[in-house]
Amino acid sequence: MQALEAFRAETRAWLEANCPPAMRTPMPAEEAVSGGKNVTFANPDSKIWFDRMVARGWTAPVWPKQYGGGGLSKDQGMILEEEMKALGCRAPLVGMGLSMLGPVLLEYGTEDQKQQHLTKIINGTIRWCQGYSEPGAGSDLAGLQTRAVLQGDHFLVNGHKIWTSNAHYADWIFCLVRTDPTVKKHDGISFLLIDMTDPGVRPRPIRLISGYSVFCETFIENVRVPKENLIGEMNKGWTIAKRLLEHERKSIGGIGERGAKSREKPIPDMAKQHVGEVDGRIADAPLRFHVASHAMDAHAFSLTRRRAAEEAESGAPPGPLSAMFKYYATELNKRRYEAILAAGGTQQLGWEGDDFSDDEVRLGREWLRSKANTIEGGTSEVQLNIIAKRVLGLPD
C-alpha cells in the first residue's frame, strides 16, 4: 500500500510539472491526437504533451515495456487514470490501435506481430481503422462476404466494407474476411491486417446528416496480404472478433463521462439562461425534472463504471458486461443531447447562419451525430440480446 501511495505522489507531481495548462481543459474534437504517418497537431501543446507521455510509455501505461508501454500494474494504471482525471489531463493519444487492436494483439498475436505493430501504436506512428461491417452484414456481422483466398504465401482479398470510421486517414485496417465459404458462417472467418496504402484499397467518405464525414465505405480489390498478417488461426477469427468487440464496447461505454467534460457550459446553466431561474433553480419545472433526471442517471452510471473497474483489477478481459456499459452509455449520451436541446431551446436547432453561434451549430450537429452511437460497435438491440443471453442467462 505504501508503494502505491508513493507512486501516486510521484505521478501527481510529474503530471503537475509536465502537463501543459492547455492540456488540462476539455478537448475539442479537432484537437484529439490520433497518430499515424500524417499526424498533425492542431494545438502545439498537444505535441509537447504527446511527446512527454510517449517517452514514459504512458500512452499505453499497462502495456509491457518491451513494446514501448509503461509496464505499470493494474493498480498503478488506475492511479494514473485517477490523477489525470483529477488534474483534467487530456488523453495524449486516442485511436482504435490503443483501445481495440492492441489488446487483441497482446492476447492473440505472435511475438513478431507484437514487435511489428505494438510499438508503432504506442508511439503514434500508425493509425488503424476497423473493417467489420459490410453492406449486407451489419447487425448480422457473421454474414460477411469479403473473401480472402490463400495463395501460397499470401491471401488475395476482395470485398466491400462499410462504416469504417476514419478509413480515409488510416494507415492500416484490421479486417474480418471469409476464408472458408463451405462451413457455418461463424466458422469460416479469419482476422487479417491490411496495409491501406495498397492501391487496391479505396476508402470513400460517407456524408452524414450531421454534415460530418467520419464514416467511410472501403473497397478492397485484388489486394495481396502476406500470410504473416493473419492473427490467430485461419478460420478461427470469430473468437478474436468477439474479443475485440468487447474492448470496443468497453471504450464506447465511457462516452457519457467524456461528453460531460466537453466544452459547452453545464446543462443547468444553459437551461437557466433559456427559461430563467427562481431561487437558484431552473424556472420551468418539467425542464428542471428533465435536466435533473439525466444528471442523476449520469452520476449513478459513473459510479457503476468505477465499481466495475475496481472489480476488474484482476486483469480479466471485459466480457459480456461490456455490452451493458455500451448500451447504457450510448443511450444516456442521446439523452444528454436531448437535455441540451431542451435547455437551449430553438437556438440549439440552428444549422448555419449569423443568427446562431458556432457552439449552437456544433451542438445541433453533435445531437444528430449522437444517434449513431447506438449503432456503432453493435446496435442497442444487439447489446440487449447479449445482455439477455450472456449476462442474465435467459433462453433464446
Side-chain angles (χ1 to χ4, degrees):
M1 184 62 69
Q2 289 182 342
L4 287 177
E5 287 307 311
F7 175 79
R8 182 182 294 276
E10 177 189 338
T11 298
R12 182 181 302 144
W14 188 89
L15 292 173
E16 286 277 8
N18 288 277
C19 183
M23 296 296 101
R24 306 181 194 186
T25 61
M27 181 163 58
E30 63 270 16
E31 291 189 14
V33 179
S34 300
K37 296 175 183 176
N38 300 312
V39 63
T40 58
F41 296 89
N43 185 329
D45 282 343
S46 297
K47 178 68 163 62
I48 295 172
W49 180 227
F50 168 78
D51 287 341
R52 289 173 179 174
M53 290 291 273
V54 167
R56 290 186 72 95
W58 281 5
T59 52
V62 298
W63 290 13
K65 282 190 174 183
Q66 67 193 89
Y67 308 120
L72 301 185
S73 67
K74 293 289 183 181
D75 288 339
Q76 290 173 327
M78 183 170 291
I79 288 172
L80 173 60
E81 182 179 339
E82 290 171 351
E83 292 302 319
M84 288 181 65
K85 182 177 179 181
L87 194 60
C89 301
R90 298 182 184 181
L93 179 67
V94 297
M96 294 182 180
L98 285 174
S99 63
M100 298 161 63
L101 179 63
V104 164
L105 286 178
L106 285 168
E107 184 174 359
Y108 294 99
T110 65
E111 185 59 30
D112 285 345
Q113 290 167 341
K114 294 175 185 178
Q115 293 286 351
Q116 180 182 358
H117 298 294
L118 291 179
T119 301
K120 294 177 182 177
I121 292 172
I122 294 168
N123 293 343
T125 56
I126 190 169
R127 185 171 181 175
W128 289 86
C129 63
Q130 179 182 24
Y132 270 31
S133 296
E134 298 184 4
S139 296
D140 180 23
L141 178 60
L144 62 93
Q145 295 300 315
T146 293
R147 188 76 195 279
V149 180
L150 183 60
Q151 298 181 343
D153 62 352
H154 69 274
F155 293 92
L156 187 66
V157 185
N158 284 277
H160 181 191
K161 297 293 180 177
I162 200 164
W163 309 124
T164 41
S165 302
N166 292 309
H168 49 321
Y169 299 124
D171 305 306
W172 282 67
I173 181 172
F174 51 90
C175 203
L176 291 184
V177 296
R178 186 159 301 286
T179 43
D180 188 346
T182 67
V183 297
K184 293 180 180 179
K185 60 183 181 180
H186 292 86
D187 296 335
I189 294 172
S190 296
F191 192 103
L192 283 183
L193 308 182
I194 302 177
D195 189 338
M196 292 287 287
T197 63
D198 188 292
V201 182
R202 295 183 293 108
R204 184 170 67 187
I206 301 170
R207 189 166 180 82
L208 305 180
I209 191 174
S210 65
Y212 300 138
S213 296
V214 177
F215 300 114
C216 296
E217 54 181 339
T218 302
F219 301 92
I220 305 173
E221 298 178 357
N222 294 322
V223 174
R224 294 162 63 99
V225 179
K227 188 177 179 180
E228 293 75 23
N229 289 9
L230 173 70
I231 306 300
E233 297 181 46
M234 188 170 170
N235 298 323
K236 301 295 183 181
W238 186 246
T239 297
I240 301 173
K242 290 190 297 181
R243 181 55 53 82
L244 186 140
L245 285 172
E246 289 175 358
H247 290 291
E248 179 182 17
R249 289 160 183 165
K250 179 184 176 183
S251 176
I252 295 174
I255 193 171
E257 289 188 5
R258 292 193 295 272
K261 297 177 185 178
S262 62
R263 49 188 160 155
E264 68 267 2
K265 66 176 67 175
I267 299 176
D269 291 349
M270 296 175 65
K272 291 174 185 178
Q273 181 178 337
H274 175 51
V275 300
E277 58 182 295
V278 177
D279 297 328
R281 300 189 303 168
I282 299 170
D284 183 83
L287 179 56
R288 185 168 66 244
F289 176 82
H290 189 175
V291 172
S293 175
H294 172 268
M296 289 188 292
D297 288 347
H299 183 62
F301 182 57
S302 177
L303 295 176
T304 301
R305 290 188 70 244
R306 174 59 186 271
R307 185 178 71 247
E310 292 175 350
E311 291 173 352
E313 286 182 16
S314 62
L321 280 178
S322 60
M324 182 184 74
F325 291 124
K326 192 275 180 184
Y327 169 78
Y328 196 81
T330 53
E331 295 292 340
L332 187 65
N333 196 49
K334 285 202 307 184
R335 286 176 51 202
R336 173 176 168 269
Y337 278 101
E338 295 291 346
I340 287 173
L341 260 65
T346 56
Q347 283 300 115
Q348 294 304 150
L349 297 176
W351 189 256
E352 59 186 3
D354 296 336
D355 292 334
F356 303 98
S357 70
D358 290 344
D359 274 351
E360 287 168 347
V361 171
R362 174 181 59 82
L363 285 169
R365 296 184 182 219
E366 287 181 359
W367 163 64
L368 292 171
R369 173 64 179 86
S370 70
K371 308 301 180 182
N373 298 149
T374 58
I375 300 173
E376 57 201 358
T379 66
S380 287
E381 290 75 16
V382 168
Q383 308 313 312
L384 289 173
N385 282 337
I386 293 171
I387 294 166
K389 295 176 183 177
R390 300 179 61 195
V391 178
L392 301 179
L394 299 178
D396 292 340

